[in-house]
Amino acid sequence: MGQLEKLDPRTVWPREASDFTPWLLSDAETLAEVLGIDLELTEAEHPVGGFALDLIGRDLTNNCVLIVENQLTGTDHGHLGQLVTYAAGTEAQTIVWLATNFRDEHRQALDFLNDLAAGDVRFFGVQVGAVRIADSPPAPLFELRAQPNDWHATVSKDAKTSSAQAGRLPLYVAFWTRFLERLSVERPGWSKARKPQAANWFSMPCPFKGLSYYSASFAQGGKLRSELYLDSVDAEQVQKLFECLAANKGLIEEVYGAPLTWEDLPNRRACRIADYSVGEVTNGDAFDDYIDWFFDTGARLRAAVDAALATGAIDA
């Protein structure tokens, strides 16, 4: 049996800007794992006014902008100020501060910000480390030091929602709890998320970074919807991707095994490719049947999109 050895992070990533930030940009799964959400990092050194944010991307679980501020030192007041400035400049709702050590006052500051945000914005503090066993390659070790108060967020969201919608929130939590239990066993590669959302949808990563995600949802009119949802601040990119996929409609539907709905959504910047069934979250006895349908359609949709990508006609 080998013995786990903790390393100085700077022996693994000597320089923050040229070593750590590019590594994290290409290995976002490590951060997703510790946060318990699905995310993608899309750009380093993102300009915010006259400053440069370390990393920007999307929190797919909560469908919002995510930003990351790194430092390969202990936390300090300067980086805390930068974090808040960058959050305001990007309208981020998931904000992550990485450092090699968190001072108590800075961890308390993140807790305070989470309380003020009441679930609308999420602040995380993640301690960066590295380990190895004997002569093995070094491995990252990320540990949560601050995170949102989920109970407080759920209560606040309840208070801001209409009574009709609020009555469904516990049902959504119950459904996605069961969904995640089965997902971790039956489809573990689909999502890093560990906590259910009090919402009618659940998003998961897809190959088109920064432009889309797979989603399972309860749609209006008593329907279940399994989809590839295309969305970005760049509406032209969304439309271009949708048109490229539509050009491969025959192949996609052949591999999927059934017709799909191709929704251009002209009044929005988004588009979707979806399949529908019948279902209401109020029918608790049917939860496993709904999950069976989401897993079946999700697997076939992924296979169909992968087949289109394999032609080389679509860039991921």
Side-chain angles (χ1 to χ4, degrees), residues 6 20 25 35 40 48 69 75 83 115 118 131 157 159 166 190 199 206 222 228 233 264 292 307:
K6 286 194 173 184
F20 183 78
L25 180 63
L35 298 182
E40 56 186 23
V48 181
E69 179 66 7
T75 55
L83 194 74
D115 286 341
V131 295
K157 185 170 183 177
W190 284 11
C206 84
L228 175 67
V233 293
D264 201 357
D292 287 343

Tab-separated table of all heavy atoms in Angstrom, residues 6 20 25 35 40 48 69 75 83 115 118 131 157 159 166 190 199 206 222 228 233 264 292 307:
chain	number	residue	atom	x	y	z
A	6	LYS	N	0.996	14.866	0.262
A	6	LYS	CA	0.522	16.174	-0.169
A	6	LYS	C	1.687	16.978	-0.753
A	6	LYS	O	2.797	16.968	-0.205
A	6	LYS	CB	-0.120	16.940	0.985
A	6	LYS	CG	-1.488	16.406	1.363
A	6	LYS	CD	-2.231	17.371	2.269
A	6	LYS	CE	-3.664	16.900	2.490
A	6	LYS	NZ	-4.452	17.867	3.303
A	20	PHE	N	-1.552	27.029	-14.233
A	20	PHE	CA	-2.781	26.575	-13.577
A	20	PHE	C	-4.040	26.918	-14.377
A	20	PHE	O	-4.884	26.056	-14.602
A	20	PHE	CB	-2.886	27.176	-12.173
A	20	PHE	CG	-4.088	26.678	-11.421
A	20	PHE	CD1	-4.086	25.423	-10.834
A	20	PHE	CD2	-5.237	27.448	-11.326
A	20	PHE	CE1	-5.201	24.946	-10.154
A	20	PHE	CE2	-6.356	26.990	-10.643
A	20	PHE	CZ	-6.338	25.735	-10.060
A	25	LEU	N	-8.780	25.230	-17.529
A	25	LEU	CA	-9.624	25.450	-18.701
A	25	LEU	C	-9.837	24.155	-19.474
A	25	LEU	O	-10.929	23.896	-19.988
A	25	LEU	CB	-8.996	26.515	-19.609
A	25	LEU	CG	-9.746	26.865	-20.894
A	25	LEU	CD1	-11.110	27.469	-20.596
A	25	LEU	CD2	-8.918	27.818	-21.754
A	35	LEU	N	-17.707	20.805	-7.025
A	35	LEU	CA	-18.869	21.667	-6.851
A	35	LEU	C	-20.178	20.885	-6.901
A	35	LEU	O	-21.201	21.348	-6.385
A	35	LEU	CB	-18.893	22.761	-7.922
A	35	LEU	CG	-17.724	23.745	-7.931
A	35	LEU	CD1	-17.936	24.797	-9.014
A	35	LEU	CD2	-17.548	24.404	-6.579
A	40	GLU	N	-19.078	24.168	-17.818
A	40	GLU	CA	-18.078	24.223	-18.882
A	40	GLU	C	-17.341	25.551	-18.765
A	40	GLU	O	-17.942	26.583	-18.429
A	40	GLU	CB	-18.720	24.071	-20.262
A	40	GLU	CG	-19.805	25.073	-20.563
A	40	GLU	CD	-20.521	24.795	-21.874
A	40	GLU	OE1	-20.502	23.632	-22.319
A	40	GLU	OE2	-21.093	25.741	-22.434
A	48	VAL	N	-12.978	42.303	-18.421
A	48	VAL	CA	-14.067	42.923	-17.661
A	48	VAL	C	-13.618	44.348	-17.358
A	48	VAL	O	-12.816	44.581	-16.451
A	48	VAL	CB	-14.375	42.168	-16.352
A	48	VAL	CG1	-15.522	42.840	-15.606
A	48	VAL	CG2	-14.710	40.707	-16.626
A	69	GLU	N	-12.125	32.797	-10.249
A	69	GLU	CA	-10.950	33.612	-9.933
A	69	GLU	C	-9.953	32.721	-9.198
A	69	GLU	O	-10.286	32.108	-8.183
A	69	GLU	CB	-11.340	34.815	-9.089
A	69	GLU	CG	-10.180	35.710	-8.691
A	69	GLU	CD	-9.516	36.424	-9.863
A	69	GLU	OE1	-10.023	36.350	-11.000
A	69	GLU	OE2	-8.468	37.064	-9.637
A	75	THR	N	-5.911	33.308	0.448
A	75	THR	CA	-6.851	34.362	0.085
A	75	THR	C	-6.427	35.719	0.640
A	75	THR	O	-5.746	35.798	1.663
A	75	THR	CB	-8.264	34.033	0.603
A	75	THR	OG1	-8.209	33.809	2.023
A	75	THR	CG2	-8.826	32.801	-0.079
A	83	LEU	N	-13.234	39.467	-7.190
A	83	LEU	CA	-14.300	38.486	-7.388
A	83	LEU	C	-15.655	39.176	-7.513
A	83	LEU	O	-16.432	38.872	-8.430
A	83	LEU	CB	-14.312	37.512	-6.203
A	83	LEU	CG	-15.117	36.226	-6.349
A	83	LEU	CD1	-14.404	35.259	-7.271
A	83	LEU	CD2	-15.321	35.584	-4.976
A	115	ASP	N	-25.710	34.358	1.912
A	115	ASP	CA	-26.928	34.707	2.643
A	115	ASP	C	-27.638	35.894	2.003
A	115	ASP	O	-28.863	35.903	1.861
A	115	ASP	CB	-26.603	35.027	4.109
A	115	ASP	CG	-26.286	33.773	4.915
A	115	ASP	OD1	-26.664	32.671	4.462
A	115	ASP	OD2	-25.659	33.892	5.979
A	118	ALA	N	-29.422	34.920	-1.275
A	118	ALA	CA	-30.659	34.151	-1.060
A	118	ALA	C	-30.937	33.164	-2.182
A	118	ALA	O	-32.075	32.983	-2.602
A	118	ALA	CB	-31.840	35.109	-0.886
A	131	VAL	N	-1.699	16.006	-4.766
A	131	VAL	CA	-1.217	14.828	-4.045
A	131	VAL	C	-0.599	13.835	-5.025
A	131	VAL	O	-0.796	13.926	-6.245
A	131	VAL	CB	-2.372	14.126	-3.275
A	131	VAL	CG1	-2.913	15.019	-2.173
A	131	VAL	CG2	-3.492	13.718	-4.231
A	157	LYS	N	-36.492	30.849	-2.682
A	157	LYS	CA	-37.099	30.645	-3.993
A	157	LYS	C	-38.589	30.396	-3.852
A	157	LYS	O	-39.397	30.887	-4.630
A	157	LYS	CB	-36.422	29.462	-4.694
A	157	LYS	CG	-36.899	29.255	-6.119
A	157	LYS	CD	-36.037	28.241	-6.839
A	157	LYS	CE	-36.475	28.104	-8.295
A	157	LYS	NZ	-35.636	27.199	-9.053
A	159	ALA	N	-40.490	31.636	-1.618
A	159	ALA	CA	-41.155	32.891	-1.282
A	159	ALA	C	-41.344	33.783	-2.496
A	159	ALA	O	-42.263	34.601	-2.532
A	159	ALA	CB	-40.330	33.634	-0.227
A	166	ALA	N	-45.091	27.350	-6.564
A	166	ALA	CA	-44.412	26.944	-5.334
A	166	ALA	C	-44.873	25.572	-4.876
A	166	ALA	O	-44.084	24.792	-4.327
A	166	ALA	CB	-44.664	27.979	-4.239
A	190	TRP	N	-23.232	11.030	-17.635
A	190	TRP	CA	-24.038	12.131	-18.158
A	190	TRP	C	-23.928	13.411	-17.352
A	190	TRP	O	-24.105	14.496	-17.891
A	190	TRP	CB	-25.512	11.714	-18.221
A	190	TRP	CG	-25.843	10.801	-19.355
A	190	TRP	CD1	-24.964	10.146	-20.177
A	190	TRP	CD2	-27.152	10.417	-19.799
A	190	TRP	NE1	-25.632	9.383	-21.092
A	190	TRP	CE2	-26.974	9.533	-20.887
A	190	TRP	CE3	-28.437	10.725	-19.371
A	190	TRP	CZ2	-28.063	8.962	-21.563
A	190	TRP	CZ3	-29.515	10.161	-20.045
A	190	TRP	CH2	-29.325	9.286	-21.134
A	199	ALA	N	-36.805	22.954	-9.770
A	199	ALA	CA	-37.162	23.523	-11.070
A	199	ALA	C	-37.730	22.426	-11.941
A	199	ALA	O	-37.591	21.234	-11.644
A	199	ALA	CB	-35.936	24.148	-11.729
A	206	CYS	N	-23.144	18.723	-23.199
A	206	CYS	CA	-23.182	18.130	-24.542
A	206	CYS	C	-21.914	18.537	-25.284
A	206	CYS	O	-21.115	19.317	-24.760
A	206	CYS	CB	-24.451	18.572	-25.281
A	206	CYS	SG	-24.276	20.157	-26.080
A	222	GLY	N	-48.680	19.470	-19.681
A	222	GLY	CA	-48.618	18.095	-19.221
A	222	GLY	C	-47.733	17.215	-20.077
A	222	GLY	O	-48.078	16.067	-20.374
A	228	LEU	N	-32.040	18.571	-27.088
A	228	LEU	CA	-30.779	19.277	-27.236
A	228	LEU	C	-31.164	20.741	-27.373
A	228	LEU	O	-31.813	21.135	-28.349
A	228	LEU	CB	-30.016	18.802	-28.471
A	228	LEU	CG	-28.730	19.569	-28.792
A	228	LEU	CD1	-27.670	19.337	-27.729
A	228	LEU	CD2	-28.183	19.183	-30.168
A	233	VAL	N	-25.200	33.785	-25.965
A	233	VAL	CA	-25.362	35.226	-26.174
A	233	VAL	C	-25.155	35.581	-27.643
A	233	VAL	O	-25.608	36.619	-28.110
A	233	VAL	CB	-24.384	36.032	-25.294
A	233	VAL	CG1	-24.734	35.874	-23.830
A	233	VAL	CG2	-22.943	35.617	-25.536
A	264	ASP	N	-37.179	26.283	-34.193
A	264	ASP	CA	-36.294	27.411	-34.439
A	264	ASP	C	-36.473	28.518	-33.405
A	264	ASP	O	-35.582	29.340	-33.199
A	264	ASP	CB	-36.564	27.976	-35.841
A	264	ASP	CG	-35.392	28.787	-36.358
A	264	ASP	OD1	-34.412	28.948	-35.628
A	264	ASP	OD2	-35.468	29.269	-37.498
A	292	ASP	N	-37.342	6.295	-17.029
A	292	ASP	CA	-37.042	5.338	-18.103
A	292	ASP	C	-37.100	6.028	-19.460
A	292	ASP	O	-36.235	5.821	-20.317
A	292	ASP	CB	-38.052	4.182	-18.077
A	292	ASP	CG	-37.840	3.230	-16.913
A	292	ASP	OD1	-36.747	3.246	-16.310
A	292	ASP	OD2	-38.783	2.470	-16.601
A	307	ALA	N	-23.366	10.652	-34.095
A	307	ALA	CA	-23.293	10.164	-35.476
A	307	ALA	C	-23.136	11.334	-36.446
A	307	ALA	O	-22.366	11.263	-37.419
A	307	ALA	CB	-24.528	9.342	-35.806
